Amino acid sequence: MNPRTVAILLATYNPPLGWLAELLDSLNQQSYPNLRLYVRDDASSTVTTDELDALLRAHITAFPYVLNRNEVNRGSNETFSALVSDASEHYIAFCDQDDIWLPEKIEHTVRLLEESPLKPVIVCANVSIIDGDGKSIADRIDQHRRRHVFLRGEGLAPALIHRNFALGCTMVAERERIASYQPFPAEIVHDHYLLFRAALDGAIDYLDEPQMRYRVYGGNQTGVMTGVRTKADYYTRRIAVYLRRVARFSEYADLPALDEARAWGAARVANFKREKGGFAALWHMRHVNRVTSLFELFALRMPRPIFSLAIKLIQKGYL
């Protein structure tokens, strides 16, 4: 019996063509048969559709591809959602424009999806880390992000309120299941949103063995403390984003953990604004997320230069 078809969903936006060529070569070398690549460019300003098509013709020779382009910039969530609609294959595998896949990535993740005793809704995988020049930084993501912990099993939605452990570029699932989660909300990065919805429906599983080389550089969309330089940045990108995420998750589930998350969010705001009782409220609720609570209780009261230094150390993985 032929293996079920897999659609690789690749969103591009102003891609560095050298990195994109490396990615495409790694996709072309996948050991899994029955693949189709769907590419959707998000109205890039640095590369034309003809240039992308020429690159695809040169590097994707083992299976068909489809290239589409957004008329206006829609952002990654809407672009990936459109890619889900573009595809018709049984499984979908999300893909970023700047990584390098190992040859058996699709084969291994599909096998886990089909054979895991957990019968997972979504599977993901560990990754090794490279820099912008392709040099190795770490053999596993948990060596690079010291508090990164993968989880497997059922009932993971409460844990996923506060953090996402899956990189979207490693996720594989049935297309119809992901399509049922559309539209992807703007308030939550698509991989975090999809993992939460999947956890409400069933189990999640992961491969501990890295399946790709994940490129870490200044242009990554997500990462630890991305875009944070000042305390105001911290509020906008960490606290306000959290509040919007919890509000959106609350539309899909009625969990005691979400009630607690809303209360913790209110305590974070009160502490940040130095409101009376704010410090005590966050201290009282520090069990919800001990690391973040302690950081905000003390780091947000540091002098500005020391706070900025602490952020840089966290971004570099030293804290």
Side-chain angles (χ1 to χ4, degrees), residues 9 40 74 76-88 92 94 174-186 190 193-194 197-198 201 248 251-252:
L9 308 184
R40 181 167 283 272
R74 297 166 60 182
S76 62
N77 275 26
E78 285 194 31
T79 301
F80 274 116
S81 183
L83 281 163
V84 173
S85 298
D86 291 339
S88 59
I92 54 176
F94 293 91
E174 291 185 354
R175 194 203 70 83
E176 286 191 6
R177 174 81 72 164
I178 299 302
S180 73
Y181 298 151
Q182 291 175 308
F184 299 172
H190 74 280
Y193 164 73
L194 293 175
R197 292 294 303 272
D201 286 349
R248 179 62 79 168
E251 296 179 12
Y252 306 113

Side-chain angles (χ1 to χ4, degrees), residues 11 17 76-77 80 101 114 136 141 144 211 224 252 294 297 299:
L17 296 185
S76 62
N77 275 26
F80 274 116
W101 289 19
E114 294 180 337
S136 177
I141 193 170
H144 179 66
Q211 298 299 309
V224 178
Y252 306 113
L294 294 176
L297 284 166

Side-chain angles (χ1 to χ4, degrees), residues 189-253:
V189 178
H190 74 280
D191 51 8
H192 194 174
Y193 164 73
L194 293 175
L195 207 65
F196 181 81
R197 292 294 303 272
L200 292 174
D201 286 349
I204 295 167
D205 207 349
Y206 71 93
L207 290 170
D208 191 53
E209 186 70 21
Q211 298 299 309
M212 58 177 286
R213 302 172 72 195
Y214 179 73
R215 199 182 300 269
V216 174
Y217 63 101
N220 289 72
Q221 182 184 4
T222 59
V224 178
M225 296 290 184
T226 297
V228 176
R229 298 173 63 186
T230 66
K231 293 179 184 180
D233 291 338
Y234 184 90
Y235 182 87
T236 299
R237 294 180 175 269
R238 305 292 293 185
I239 298 177
V241 166
Y242 174 81
L243 295 173
R244 291 195 296 270
R245 182 168 76 236
V246 170
R248 179 62 79 168
F249 281 162
S250 298
E251 296 179 12
Y252 306 113

Side-chain angles (χ1 to χ4, degrees), residues 4-20:
R4 286 172 164 164
T5 55
V6 177
I8 301 173
L9 308 184
L10 170 59
T12 62
Y13 177 67
N14 291 344
L17 296 185
W19 291 355
L20 183 57

Side-chain angles (χ1 to χ4, degrees), residues 84-126:
V84 173
S85 298
D86 291 339
S88 59
E89 283 68 21
H90 187 81
Y91 296 128
I92 54 176
F94 293 91
C95 182
D96 290 344
Q97 66 185 16
D98 41 29
D99 304 316
I100 300 173
W101 289 19
L102 299 183
E104 295 181 328
K105 177 180 182 292
I106 292 290
E107 181 180 346
H108 288 168
T109 49
V110 168
R111 182 184 301 151
L112 180 67
L113 188 65
E114 294 180 337
E115 299 180 5
S116 169
L118 293 174
K119 300 187 182 304
V121 178
I122 281 181
V123 300
C124 58
N126 211 325

